[in-house]
């Protein structure tokens, strides 16, 4: 095949960011593409794209978020399309385990990924004037009768009643202690605070005296770690030299897509190397029928739990019985192939329907952020494009899944 007739690829990638607990989940779109003019038509820049209907929600066990993904061809030539994933899971190194420290947390002058993270505390629940709690910090001393460290706050409420028969005075008292490490930001503490004196029927609680006999500050030791996975080797240039070398789309790069920043460089991820492409082969991760809910790779690898699943669409088929206008997963290369050419103006059936947050999600996901990168590659719907070294280079052995898909697509190719 002449060089000027070799077709190049267009890819669109959609990147979803979701964070557990108090975090957010946003979806951004990214594209990598190469354009090669041919005599009849070319796949123009952006003409084949991932279409989505995304309703971001925080990760809450037993819930789901609408995430509908399909591929649209707005160009003027039929194309074959395939889709795969890259993933990044940012999770607490100690998987949600809490460590007590004798000193309060403070921001490192040169923050790193592995810095301890303060266990956040809802201090506003007690500082709010309508809470019924009163600031008694100035009336609390430590076990050596010294004032509390700067930033430690104690809020309390209580009263003293007198038994009309016995004359005994009974004190009721509750409190909350926490550390304010920045304005309006609080670190959880474990403390023992008791009433020392001043608790009489007539006295207000802010006039009582207290003693704090124990003060420990709660952190997530070791900060964060990242686990990245790449389901399939990209045939496109990646978003950086490192991404291209790792045969990934966005892993290995940093940038800003649709007002969302991402950093998947080695330094940003805290990794020594980028992951090699690893097709999913586990039954729990490979859809073989309509509307199945199947797991992803990153959380199982990092946390040992399949808490995040994808609900697939109703047009799924296996390589055993290929049919037109379906999605089929190839365990050998990690791509979902659409089994028919996508003609000009057409949109494929939905590959993804939802993200499912299962009841298996526990403390391991505390403060976690999950990024799902849905990467799509499109190529002209010709026989040569499927097997050429500058195309998809699908050269599977006889009887292999790759060979079955190639043969089936070859039968529908334009030439």
């Amino acid at each position: 095949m002449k060089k000027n007739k070799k077709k190049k690829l267009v890819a669109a990638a959609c990147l979803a960011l979701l964070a557990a607990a108090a975090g957010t989940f946003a979806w951004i779109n990214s594209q990598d593409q190469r354009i090669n003019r041919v005599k009849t038509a070319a796949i123009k820049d952006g003409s084949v794209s991932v279409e989505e209907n995304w309703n971001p929600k925080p990760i809450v066990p037993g819930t789901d978020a609408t995430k509908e993904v399909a591929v649209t061809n707005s160009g003027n030539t039929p194309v074959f399309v395939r889709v795969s994933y890259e993933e990044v899971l940012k999770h607490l190194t100690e998987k949600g385990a809490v460590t007590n420290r004798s000193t309060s947390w403070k921001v490192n002058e040169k923050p790193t990924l592995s810095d301890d993270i303060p266990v956040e505390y809802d201090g506003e629940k007690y500082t709010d004037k309508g809470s019924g709690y009163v600031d008694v910090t100035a009336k609390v001393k430590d076990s050596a009768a010294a004032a509390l460290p700067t930033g430690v706050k104690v809020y309390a409420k209580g009263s003293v009643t007198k038994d009309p028969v016995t004359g005994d005075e009974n004190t009721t008292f509750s409190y909350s202690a926490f550390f304010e490490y920045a304005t309006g930001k609080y670190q959880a503490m474990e403390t023992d605070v008791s009433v020392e004196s001043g608790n009489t029927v007539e006295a207000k609680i802010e006039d009582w005296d207290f003693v704090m006999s124990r003060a420990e500050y709660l952190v997530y030791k070791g900060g964060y770690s990242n686990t990245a996975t790449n389901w399939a080797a990209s045939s496109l240039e990646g978003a950086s030299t490192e991404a291209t070398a790792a045969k990934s789309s966005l892993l290995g790069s940093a940038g800003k897509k649709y007002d969302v920043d991402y950093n998947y460089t080695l330094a940003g991820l805290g990794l020594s190397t980028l992951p090699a492409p690893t097709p999913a082969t586990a039954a729990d991760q490979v859809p073989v029928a309509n509307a199945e809910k199947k797991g992803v790779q990153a959380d199982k690898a990092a946390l040992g739990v399949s808490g995040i699943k994808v609900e697939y669409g109703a047009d799924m088929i296996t390589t055993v019985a290929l049919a037109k206008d379906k999605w089929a997963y190839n365990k050998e290369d990690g791509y979902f192939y659409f089994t028919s050419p996508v003609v000009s103006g057409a949109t494929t059936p939905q590959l993804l329907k939802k993200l499912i947050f299962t009841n298996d999600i526990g403390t391991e996901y505390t403060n976690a952020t999950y990024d799902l990168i849905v990467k799509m590659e499109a190529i002209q719907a010709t026989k040569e494009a499927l097997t050429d070294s500058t195309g998809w280079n699908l050269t599977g052995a006889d009887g292999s899944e790759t060979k079955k898909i190639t043969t089936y697509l070859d039968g529908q190719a334009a030439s």
Side-chain angles (χ1 to χ4, degrees), residues 401-413:
E401 291 198 349
T402 301
K403 185 66 172 180
K404 291 175 183 177
I405 290 172
T406 306
T407 300
Y408 192 84
L409 294 178
D410 185 84
Q412 300 185 71

Side-chain angles (χ1 to χ4, degrees), residues 67-86:
K67 175 57 203 161
E68 297 173 344
V69 170
V71 178
T72 293
N73 181 10
S74 58
N76 57 3
T77 185
V79 295
F80 289 129
V81 297
R82 64 182 184 180
V83 171
S84 191
Y85 305 141
E86 294 170 18

Side-chain angles (χ1 to χ4, degrees), residues 50-317:
V50 173
E51 301 294 329
E52 66 172 354
N53 175 24
W54 171 230
N55 180 20
K57 293 181 180 179
I59 298 178
V60 177
T63 66
D64 58 57
T66 297
K67 175 57 203 161
E68 297 173 344
V69 170
V71 178
T72 293
N73 181 10
S74 58
N76 57 3
T77 185
V79 295
F80 289 129
V81 297
R82 64 182 184 180
V83 171
S84 191
Y85 305 141
E86 294 170 18
E87 303 176 67
V88 176
L89 177 68
K90 182 180 179 181
H91 59 91
L92 292 169
T93 301
E94 293 296 308
K95 302 179 182 179
V98 174
T99 298
N100 291 25
R101 301 291 195 201
S102 60
T103 56
S104 58
W105 182 85
K106 63 178 180 180
V107 178
N108 193 329
E109 291 183 2
K110 295 181 179 180
T112 67
L113 195 66
S114 60
D115 289 343
D116 288 351
I117 304 296
V119 176
E120 297 289 341
Y121 190 75
D122 186 11
E124 292 182 356
K125 178 179 177 180
Y126 300 95
T127 60
D128 184 87
K129 291 182 179 180
S131 68
Y133 283 80
V134 177
D135 186 355
V136 297
T137 305
K139 299 291 289 181
V140 184
K141 306 296 182 183
D142 64 16
S143 56
L148 299 180
T150 301
V152 174
K153 308 289 185 182
V154 180
Y155 281 72
K157 64 179 179 181
S159 61
V160 179
T161 59
K162 189 172 185 178
D163 190 303
V165 177
T166 65
D168 294 337
E169 292 186 347
N170 298 311
T171 299
T172 60
F173 163 65
S174 62
Y175 77 96
S176 181
F178 43 89
F179 174 68
E180 187 172 21
Y181 63 86
T183 303
K185 295 184 177 180
Y186 307 100
Q187 180 184 11
M189 297 181 66
E190 287 186 357
T191 62
D192 291 324
V193 176
S194 58
V195 179
E196 182 77 4
S197 62
N199 51 322
T200 63
V201 173
E202 297 83 9
K204 296 181 180 180
I205 193 169
E206 52 263 45
D207 296 324
W208 299 3
D209 294 308
F210 307 89
V211 60
M212 181 180 287
S213 56
R214 181 173 70 106
E216 297 176 347
Y217 305 82
L218 307 186
V219 299
Y220 298 116
K221 182 177 68 174
Y224 290 105
S225 296
N226 282 293
T227 298
T229 64
N230 180 9
W231 287 46
S234 298
S235 58
L236 298 167
E237 289 181 356
S240 69
T241 301
E242 292 78 9
T244 300
K247 297 184 177 180
S248 64
S249 176
L250 291 185
L251 293 179
S253 68
K256 188 172 185 177
K257 301 292 182 182
Y258 295 86
D259 297 322
V260 179
D261 295 307
Y262 69 94
N263 185 352
Y264 298 147
T265 62
L266 290 176
L269 294 174
L271 301 176
S272 58
T273 58
L274 291 172
T278 307
T281 58
D284 184 54
Q285 296 170 348
V286 178
V288 295
N290 295 341
E292 284 195 309
K293 301 175 179 65
K294 295 293 184 176
V296 293
Q297 292 193 56
D299 61 345
K300 187 65 176 290
L303 306 176
V305 181
S306 290
I308 302 172
K309 293 183 181 292
V310 173
E311 180 177 325
Y312 289 90
D315 291 279
M316 191 67 58
I317 200 168

